[in-house]
Amino acid sequence: QLYYYFIYPYLSYAIITWGSACKTSLRRILTKQNKCMRSMFFAYIRDNAKTYYNLLGILKFENVYKLTVALFMHKILND
């Protein structure tokens, strides 16, 4: 719940607009997201964050962007 209260709103705000930026810019966002995941578990900085994503069932930033765009397109095509 901490993730969805403190972190997710910043990631999802206007994601359709800036989510298609260049990969180097998006890599910085993913790095910050990984750092937040590790800090929630008080994990070592070199630990792989993938295990924590799987443990909590949280999507990485790229997948959140793809899901949001897919839902947006579905809404446009079906309305």
Side-chain angles (χ1 to χ4, degrees):
Q1 289 179 344
L2 288 173
Y3 175 81
Y4 286 108
Y5 185 74
F6 289 113
I7 300 165
Y8 188 75
Y10 292 103
L11 290 177
S12 63
Y13 178 74
I15 194 170
I16 294 176
T17 305
W18 57 268
S20 61
C22 63
K23 290 190 179 198
T24 55
S25 298
L26 297 179
R27 185 172 294 140
R28 291 177 56 199
I29 296 169
L30 183 60
T31 302
K32 295 287 186 186
Q33 187 183 21
N34 289 341
K35 187 175 181 180
C36 291
M37 290 299 292
R38 287 187 204 103
S39 66
M40 287 182 359
F41 284 95
F42 303 104
Y44 183 64
I45 196 166
R46 298 275 183 186
D47 283 350
N48 189 355
K50 185 178 180 180
T51 57
Y52 304 117
Y53 284 109
N54 291 337
L55 186 65
L56 293 178
I58 294 175
L59 296 174
K60 288 187 178 184
F61 175 74
E62 303 102 13
N63 297 332
V64 172
Y65 170 68
K66 291 175 186 176
L67 178 65
T68 306
V69 170
L71 290 173
F72 180 72
M73 291 304 295
H74 177 72
K75 183 179 178 182
I76 287 176
L77 294 175
N78 290 327
D79 283 342

